[in-house]
Amino acid sequence: MFHLTVAYIFIYVCLGLIALGILLLFQMKISHNRELRNREMYAKKHHDYFVYVQANLQDNVELRLPPGKLKKLEKRVVQDKFIEWIEQFKGDYRHKLIELCREAGFVEEDLKALRSIRYGRRLEAAYRLGGMRAREAVPMLQNILQKRKYSSLSIVLARSIAKAADNSEDLLQMLRTLLSHGKPIHNLAADIMLETGLDSSAILLKLLNDSDSALVKVGLVAMWGQAVPEVMPVLGRLVGAEEKDVRAEAVKLYLTTNPALKDDTIAQLMSDRSWEVRAEAARALGQLHAAGSIPLLTDALRDSSWKVRYNSAESLAQLGEAGFEALCQAALTGAGIQREAALHRIELVMEKEREHSAIEQMVAYNKKRLLYDRYFGVKQPAKRVGGVAAVGGDYSA
Amino acid sequence: MYYGMIAVYYVMIVNILYFTIMALSYRNIGTIYRRSRYSNYNTLSGSELVPPVSLLVPAFNEELTISENVNCLLTLNYPTYEVIVINDGSSDNTVDVLIKEFRLKKMTNPEFRGTIDTQEVRGVYHNPDYPSLFVIDKENGGKADSLNAGINLSHYPLISSIDADSLLEKDALIRMARMYMENPEEMVAIGGDVRIANGCLIENGAVQKVSLPRKIWPMFQSIEYMKAFLGGRIGWSQMNGLIIVSGAFGLFRKDYVIAVGGYRGGYPGEDMNIIIKLHRYMLSHKIPYKVAFCPEAVCWTQAPDTYKIISNQRKRWGRGNLKNMIENRGMLFNPKYKVMGLITMPYNVLFETLNPYFRITGLLALVGYTLLDMTHWRILLTFFLLNFLSGYLLSVGAIILEEIAFRRYKKLSDLWKMLLFSALKFFGYHQLGVLWRVQGHIQYLQNNNSWGTMTRQSWSEESKTA
């Protein structure tokens, strides 16, 4: 009978929890739906005010606050709209909206919420304070970021700091805290850092000169797609850095600027330990039209990294007839992965150039065609659909 | 009578375990809600700093839905990615539909970087106007084989497997990538949340309006998925004991998938198999890692809506599960495999694989005793109530999780419907689930290795009828 009693207790507990759960569900659903409806209503109510603000952003007039005494949710609707615009606009418009948030008391209210004992509330406030670019919140945000264990929510805090910080020291401090957990989150950290409204070239220079290699890496990845002439000397130094990742990133960036390279530098880069460095060097050689490097590139068709082989073949194809001939030779006499890489590129070249119509391109194509025919005969080489090289093949890229 | 009581205890213990897993989901739900609420995906989806991804889409007889799905995949909010559709020797016009829709041409010499063995590839199709789309046409070899062929052609360090009958939400991939970027070294696999699209309004390859399915089979599955994904996987992911990343939508580190030899061909359950292999590899090599679940990354899938198709699917799952458990029995109770060996695997064997047998024999014993002596009817009733109430409580728990963090179903009537079907599930559907699993096990013993029929209807048709 004892066993049955245990089972009964279990049943009663389940029943009780089910009843509670269902009540909770309806309460949540109804209140969520009510909130949605009210939000819509308030958005409609303040529609004219929003139009007024938008229309007067460019004028030199002081913007009025929303009319009447606002309810809590009403305030939130207005604030959310302002934050949305702050994200979209830059310069004076943004500045005016930030000031408006301050005057309306939104900043002050969220600063107060930042002291709440509930973490959820603090985080919500932190998110909005970042949106409102509230620099006065930064010390408290840094404090919370330092105290909490690293999680997805640290990223929310870090983004808010990046948005709100008005000096580079705060930004660097935030990055240091974020990276202090030893996770290789350089890409994410760079993305967060780029949220800043401050001049990024000065910050990049600071990052690249930092003694902490994690910060240097953040600087390097953040520079992708940006031309920052001020940092070129530092980049030149980092190309010789000891740490593999830093060196690879620096070389990649350095070579995108198409610098003039000495023969021994080329040889050194092409025999670097890191495949990323070799791949970047191989890629750059084609663009630099460094015909003297054809033997190096032909050798690199045998590299263990797919990316190096691919880039070498691509560069050879860019180096005129001599390069193309080297490719043909490798395709015909080489074996395994070297032949694969060369053959693939030759096919691409022949396919692409056939489509060209301009006379000089026709001439270039015909020259290559002649070379091609000399190596492979007039007939097309057997198609290699689906065949996969017997050896090699890496997945580093 | 003793066996009957053991069955009663078994049900209680199983459910206490389920509740524990769900408690872990509850512990984490606040963080999940906040991280998706307070993340702005606009900046990230335009950033060059986000890692590029190869989407692998195996397709077998998908001529009705494939165009719309590929169109959907080509317009995700994600900076750099490619879509590789792998036609697995379809007997319909899957490839022709794609060639026509995207004006594809056969590549003369496509380069395969990978070297995993696959069935013969007949050709690779491409059109420079759609630079990020590739279509591999290959001999039939199964889903795992197709994924392996996709891996061989893929150009990027992360791969994502996506079922051809699934629609990704536009932000789904960037949400997953955010999770990856937060811990890129340890994250080896991330699973997405799979939801049932039947009943939703689908236009231009995207779910425009969310509604619950109108037919009963998909409706039951809707509840079932919610319970499994929100109630179960969030919790398992918390303790790094996730045993499966759904084949419908998952993100993987390509280097590790290759290191474990790619997907295992020739048998269903390849999605569970790859995750077990990853756990095994990382733990054997003592590399810190994480297999995570990202519930805010949502993929909508077409659920089977006829008895025949759903029973085939479930038998296949049952077979795959049993095969995986037998293949990896060495991990059971092996402390070397930590959470996997000591908790996840034993749990799976005792409470998932063997679950039908305990329940059926327990029920039979109790019915037998009651027939012999009618005074035992109380115990029989208790057994029923235990099963029903604890299962129902889990469903209610999962719906609360949905309401806290996701709120995809807005109407109050949806809530009624979910609560009603969560209860109805225990009168028929639940028992069928047990039966299908046993049938799957029988198929395994008979060496029946077919995938079974899986027919699709086009999305527009589905929108109208479901």
Side-chain angles (χ1 to χ4, degrees), chain A residues 194-217:
Chain A
L194 291 172
E195 298 257 17
T196 182
L198 302 169
D199 169 30
S200 62
S201 57
I203 297 164
L204 285 173
L205 201 57
K206 279 192 179 168
L207 285 173
L208 295 187
N209 276 316
D210 203 278
S211 56
D212 183 351
S213 68
L215 257 66
V216 178
K217 276 185 226 169

PDB file of all heavy atoms in Angstrom, chain A residues 194-217:
ATOM      1  N   LEU A 194      33.628  47.956 -33.304  1.00  0.00           N
ATOM      2  CA  LEU A 194      33.262  48.826 -34.426  1.00  0.00           C
ATOM      3  C   LEU A 194      31.901  49.499 -34.240  1.00  0.00           C
ATOM      4  O   LEU A 194      31.485  50.313 -35.052  1.00  0.00           O
ATOM      5  CB  LEU A 194      33.282  48.032 -35.736  1.00  0.00           C
ATOM      6  CG  LEU A 194      34.685  47.600 -36.188  1.00  0.00           C
ATOM      7  CD1 LEU A 194      34.603  46.671 -37.378  1.00  0.00           C
ATOM      8  CD2 LEU A 194      35.562  48.799 -36.502  1.00  0.00           C
ATOM      9  N   GLU A 195      31.210  49.169 -33.147  1.00  0.00           N
ATOM     10  CA  GLU A 195      29.947  49.864 -32.838  1.00  0.00           C
ATOM     11  C   GLU A 195      30.223  51.295 -32.373  1.00  0.00           C
ATOM     12  O   GLU A 195      29.312  52.101 -32.286  1.00  0.00           O
ATOM     13  CB  GLU A 195      29.198  49.149 -31.702  1.00  0.00           C
ATOM     14  CG  GLU A 195      28.792  47.738 -32.009  1.00  0.00           C
ATOM     15  CD  GLU A 195      27.317  47.624 -32.328  1.00  0.00           C
ATOM     16  OE1 GLU A 195      26.703  48.652 -32.617  1.00  0.00           O
ATOM     17  OE2 GLU A 195      26.804  46.494 -32.306  1.00  0.00           O
ATOM     18  N   THR A 196      31.451  51.586 -32.039  1.00  0.00           N
ATOM     19  CA  THR A 196      31.778  52.875 -31.449  1.00  0.00           C
ATOM     20  C   THR A 196      31.526  54.038 -32.411  1.00  0.00           C
ATOM     21  O   THR A 196      31.643  53.877 -33.626  1.00  0.00           O
ATOM     22  CB  THR A 196      33.257  52.903 -30.996  1.00  0.00           C
ATOM     23  OG1 THR A 196      33.507  54.166 -30.396  1.00  0.00           O
ATOM     24  CG2 THR A 196      34.205  52.715 -32.146  1.00  0.00           C
ATOM     25  N   GLY A 197      31.209  55.175 -31.822  1.00  0.00           N
ATOM     26  CA  GLY A 197      31.040  56.376 -32.634  1.00  0.00           C
ATOM     27  C   GLY A 197      32.337  57.166 -32.693  1.00  0.00           C
ATOM     28  O   GLY A 197      32.408  58.213 -33.340  1.00  0.00           O
ATOM     29  N   LEU A 198      33.372  56.684 -31.998  1.00  0.00           N
ATOM     30  CA  LEU A 198      34.652  57.402 -31.969  1.00  0.00           C
ATOM     31  C   LEU A 198      35.447  57.127 -33.244  1.00  0.00           C
ATOM     32  O   LEU A 198      35.129  56.206 -33.991  1.00  0.00           O
ATOM     33  CB  LEU A 198      35.477  56.936 -30.760  1.00  0.00           C
ATOM     34  CG  LEU A 198      34.815  57.123 -29.399  1.00  0.00           C
ATOM     35  CD1 LEU A 198      35.613  56.390 -28.333  1.00  0.00           C
ATOM     36  CD2 LEU A 198      34.718  58.603 -29.071  1.00  0.00           C
ATOM     37  N   ASP A 199      36.514  57.910 -33.448  1.00  0.00           N
ATOM     38  CA  ASP A 199      37.357  57.731 -34.635  1.00  0.00           C
ATOM     39  C   ASP A 199      38.081  56.388 -34.543  1.00  0.00           C
ATOM     40  O   ASP A 199      38.906  56.168 -33.659  1.00  0.00           O
ATOM     41  CB  ASP A 199      38.355  58.893 -34.687  1.00  0.00           C
ATOM     42  CG  ASP A 199      39.436  58.643 -35.713  1.00  0.00           C
ATOM     43  OD1 ASP A 199      39.139  57.952 -36.706  1.00  0.00           O
ATOM     44  OD2 ASP A 199      40.558  59.120 -35.508  1.00  0.00           O
ATOM     45  N   SER A 200      37.747  55.493 -35.469  1.00  0.00           N
ATOM     46  CA  SER A 200      38.266  54.134 -35.291  1.00  0.00           C
ATOM     47  C   SER A 200      39.742  53.998 -35.643  1.00  0.00           C
ATOM     48  O   SER A 200      40.422  53.115 -35.114  1.00  0.00           O
ATOM     49  CB  SER A 200      37.429  53.129 -36.075  1.00  0.00           C
ATOM     50  OG  SER A 200      37.503  53.419 -37.443  1.00  0.00           O
ATOM     51  N   SER A 201      40.291  54.907 -36.490  1.00  0.00           N
ATOM     52  CA  SER A 201      41.699  54.712 -36.852  1.00  0.00           C
ATOM     53  C   SER A 201      42.619  54.906 -35.646  1.00  0.00           C
ATOM     54  O   SER A 201      43.607  54.188 -35.479  1.00  0.00           O
ATOM     55  CB  SER A 201      42.091  55.613 -38.016  1.00  0.00           C
ATOM     56  OG  SER A 201      41.836  56.943 -37.688  1.00  0.00           O
ATOM     57  N   ALA A 202      42.276  55.879 -34.784  1.00  0.00           N
ATOM     58  CA  ALA A 202      43.108  56.105 -33.591  1.00  0.00           C
ATOM     59  C   ALA A 202      43.038  54.881 -32.679  1.00  0.00           C
ATOM     60  O   ALA A 202      44.050  54.455 -32.100  1.00  0.00           O
ATOM     61  CB  ALA A 202      42.624  57.342 -32.861  1.00  0.00           C
ATOM     62  N   ILE A 203      41.856  54.311 -32.567  1.00  0.00           N
ATOM     63  CA  ILE A 203      41.691  53.148 -31.682  1.00  0.00           C
ATOM     64  C   ILE A 203      42.432  51.945 -32.263  1.00  0.00           C
ATOM     65  O   ILE A 203      43.108  51.208 -31.545  1.00  0.00           O
ATOM     66  CB  ILE A 203      40.195  52.824 -31.505  1.00  0.00           C
ATOM     67  CG1 ILE A 203      39.519  54.007 -30.821  1.00  0.00           C
ATOM     68  CG2 ILE A 203      40.000  51.565 -30.692  1.00  0.00           C
ATOM     69  CD1 ILE A 203      38.035  54.000 -30.918  1.00  0.00           C
ATOM     70  N   LEU A 204      42.344  51.779 -33.583  1.00  0.00           N
ATOM     71  CA  LEU A 204      43.046  50.666 -34.224  1.00  0.00           C
ATOM     72  C   LEU A 204      44.545  50.763 -33.960  1.00  0.00           C
ATOM     73  O   LEU A 204      45.206  49.761 -33.666  1.00  0.00           O
ATOM     74  CB  LEU A 204      42.774  50.672 -35.726  1.00  0.00           C
ATOM     75  CG  LEU A 204      41.390  50.195 -36.142  1.00  0.00           C
ATOM     76  CD1 LEU A 204      41.166  50.396 -37.629  1.00  0.00           C
ATOM     77  CD2 LEU A 204      41.204  48.730 -35.786  1.00  0.00           C
ATOM     78  N   LEU A 205      45.066  51.977 -34.074  1.00  0.00           N
ATOM     79  CA  LEU A 205      46.505  52.181 -33.840  1.00  0.00           C
ATOM     80  C   LEU A 205      46.861  51.752 -32.417  1.00  0.00           C
ATOM     81  O   LEU A 205      47.874  51.087 -32.179  1.00  0.00           O
ATOM     82  CB  LEU A 205      46.833  53.659 -34.072  1.00  0.00           C
ATOM     83  CG  LEU A 205      48.296  53.970 -34.368  1.00  0.00           C
ATOM     84  CD1 LEU A 205      48.779  53.201 -35.583  1.00  0.00           C
ATOM     85  CD2 LEU A 205      48.482  55.459 -34.585  1.00  0.00           C
ATOM     86  N   LYS A 206      46.018  52.140 -31.471  1.00  0.00           N
ATOM     87  CA  LYS A 206      46.259  51.756 -30.075  1.00  0.00           C
ATOM     88  C   LYS A 206      46.220  50.246 -29.904  1.00  0.00           C
ATOM     89  O   LYS A 206      47.040  49.662 -29.199  1.00  0.00           O
ATOM     90  CB  LYS A 206      45.213  52.395 -29.157  1.00  0.00           C
ATOM     91  CG  LYS A 206      45.531  53.819 -28.825  1.00  0.00           C
ATOM     92  CD  LYS A 206      44.640  54.307 -27.712  1.00  0.00           C
ATOM     93  CE  LYS A 206      45.042  55.747 -27.401  1.00  0.00           C
ATOM     94  NZ  LYS A 206      44.110  56.428 -26.563  1.00  0.00           N
ATOM     95  N   LEU A 207      45.252  49.635 -30.546  1.00  0.00           N
ATOM     96  CA  LEU A 207      45.119  48.171 -30.428  1.00  0.00           C
ATOM     97  C   LEU A 207      46.348  47.478 -30.993  1.00  0.00           C
ATOM     98  O   LEU A 207      46.892  46.552 -30.390  1.00  0.00           O
ATOM     99  CB  LEU A 207      43.869  47.691 -31.178  1.00  0.00           C
ATOM    100  CG  LEU A 207      42.524  47.955 -30.520  1.00  0.00           C
ATOM    101  CD1 LEU A 207      41.388  47.579 -31.463  1.00  0.00           C
ATOM    102  CD2 LEU A 207      42.401  47.131 -29.235  1.00  0.00           C
ATOM    103  N   LEU A 208      46.780  47.912 -32.162  1.00  0.00           N
ATOM    104  CA  LEU A 208      47.915  47.244 -32.816  1.00  0.00           C
ATOM    105  C   LEU A 208      49.202  47.434 -32.028  1.00  0.00           C
ATOM    106  O   LEU A 208      50.122  46.622 -32.117  1.00  0.00           O
ATOM    107  CB  LEU A 208      48.097  47.764 -34.242  1.00  0.00           C
ATOM    108  CG  LEU A 208      46.959  47.471 -35.215  1.00  0.00           C
ATOM    109  CD1 LEU A 208      47.322  47.885 -36.619  1.00  0.00           C
ATOM    110  CD2 LEU A 208      46.589  45.994 -35.227  1.00  0.00           C
ATOM    111  N   ASN A 209      49.288  48.521 -31.271  1.00  0.00           N
ATOM    112  CA  ASN A 209      50.501  48.779 -30.489  1.00  0.00           C
ATOM    113  C   ASN A 209      50.420  48.197 -29.087  1.00  0.00           C
ATOM    114  O   ASN A 209      51.341  48.348 -28.297  1.00  0.00           O
ATOM    115  CB  ASN A 209      50.756  50.285 -30.395  1.00  0.00           C
ATOM    116  CG  ASN A 209      51.496  50.773 -31.626  1.00  0.00           C
ATOM    117  OD1 ASN A 209      52.451  50.142 -32.081  1.00  0.00           O
ATOM    118  ND2 ASN A 209      51.028  51.870 -32.202  1.00  0.00           N
ATOM    119  N   ASP A 210      49.322  47.564 -28.742  1.00  0.00           N
ATOM    120  CA  ASP A 210      49.138  47.067 -27.380  1.00  0.00           C
ATOM    121  C   ASP A 210      50.066  45.873 -27.109  1.00  0.00           C
ATOM    122  O   ASP A 210      50.437  45.138 -28.035  1.00  0.00           O
ATOM    123  CB  ASP A 210      47.688  46.642 -27.173  1.00  0.00           C
ATOM    124  CG  ASP A 210      47.298  46.652 -25.710  1.00  0.00           C
ATOM    125  OD1 ASP A 210      47.600  45.658 -25.008  1.00  0.00           O
ATOM    126  OD2 ASP A 210      46.715  47.655 -25.276  1.00  0.00           O
ATOM    127  N   SER A 211      50.423  45.729 -25.829  1.00  0.00           N
ATOM    128  CA  SER A 211      51.332  44.625 -25.508  1.00  0.00           C
ATOM    129  C   SER A 211      50.587  43.283 -25.453  1.00  0.00           C
ATOM    130  O   SER A 211      51.183  42.220 -25.547  1.00  0.00           O
ATOM    131  CB  SER A 211      52.001  44.891 -24.158  1.00  0.00           C
ATOM    132  OG  SER A 211      50.990  45.079 -23.200  1.00  0.00           O
ATOM    133  N   ASP A 212      49.273  43.350 -25.309  1.00  0.00           N
ATOM    134  CA  ASP A 212      48.477  42.125 -25.242  1.00  0.00           C
ATOM    135  C   ASP A 212      48.166  41.634 -26.666  1.00  0.00           C
ATOM    136  O   ASP A 212      47.509  42.335 -27.440  1.00  0.00           O
ATOM    137  CB  ASP A 212      47.168  42.459 -24.490  1.00  0.00           C
ATOM    138  CG  ASP A 212      46.289  41.231 -24.303  1.00  0.00           C
ATOM    139  OD1 ASP A 212      46.611  40.177 -24.889  1.00  0.00           O
ATOM    140  OD2 ASP A 212      45.284  41.344 -23.576  1.00  0.00           O
ATOM    141  N   SER A 213      48.630  40.432 -26.996  1.00  0.00           N
ATOM    142  CA  SER A 213      48.478  39.985 -28.382  1.00  0.00           C
ATOM    143  C   SER A 213      47.005  39.773 -28.743  1.00  0.00           C
ATOM    144  O   SER A 213      46.621  39.857 -29.905  1.00  0.00           O
ATOM    145  CB  SER A 213      49.283  38.712 -28.634  1.00  0.00           C
ATOM    146  OG  SER A 213      48.712  37.651 -27.918  1.00  0.00           O
ATOM    147  N   ALA A 214      46.153  39.497 -27.746  1.00  0.00           N
ATOM    148  CA  ALA A 214      44.721  39.323 -28.029  1.00  0.00           C
ATOM    149  C   ALA A 214      44.149  40.630 -28.583  1.00  0.00           C
ATOM    150  O   ALA A 214      43.354  40.622 -29.534  1.00  0.00           O
ATOM    151  CB  ALA A 214      43.982  38.912 -26.769  1.00  0.00           C
ATOM    152  N   LEU A 215      44.561  41.753 -27.992  1.00  0.00           N
ATOM    153  CA  LEU A 215      44.068  43.047 -28.474  1.00  0.00           C
ATOM    154  C   LEU A 215      44.611  43.368 -29.863  1.00  0.00           C
ATOM    155  O   LEU A 215      43.921  43.948 -30.701  1.00  0.00           O
ATOM    156  CB  LEU A 215      44.436  44.166 -27.479  1.00  0.00           C
ATOM    157  CG  LEU A 215      43.268  44.620 -26.600  1.00  0.00           C
ATOM    158  CD1 LEU A 215      42.835  43.526 -25.662  1.00  0.00           C
ATOM    159  CD2 LEU A 215      43.587  45.885 -25.854  1.00  0.00           C
ATOM    160  N   VAL A 216      45.866  42.964 -30.100  1.00  0.00           N
ATOM    161  CA  VAL A 216      46.460  43.178 -31.429  1.00  0.00           C
ATOM    162  C   VAL A 216      45.625  42.436 -32.473  1.00  0.00           C
ATOM    163  O   VAL A 216      45.313  42.966 -33.535  1.00  0.00           O
ATOM    164  CB  VAL A 216      47.930  42.680 -31.457  1.00  0.00           C
ATOM    165  CG1 VAL A 216      48.512  42.856 -32.852  1.00  0.00           C
ATOM    166  CG2 VAL A 216      48.758  43.428 -30.433  1.00  0.00           C
ATOM    167  N   LYS A 217      45.248  41.205 -32.121  1.00  0.00           N
ATOM    168  CA  LYS A 217      44.459  40.408 -33.072  1.00  0.00           C
ATOM    169  C   LYS A 217      43.115  41.074 -33.353  1.00  0.00           C
ATOM    170  O   LYS A 217      42.649  41.101 -34.486  1.00  0.00           O
ATOM    171  CB  LYS A 217      44.210  39.005 -32.514  1.00  0.00           C
ATOM    172  CG  LYS A 217      45.371  38.079 -32.783  1.00  0.00           C
ATOM    173  CD  LYS A 217      45.020  36.684 -32.320  1.00  0.00           C
ATOM    174  CE  LYS A 217      46.158  36.114 -31.537  1.00  0.00           C
ATOM    175  NZ  LYS A 217      45.839  34.882 -30.842  1.00  0.00           N
TER     176      LYS A 217
END
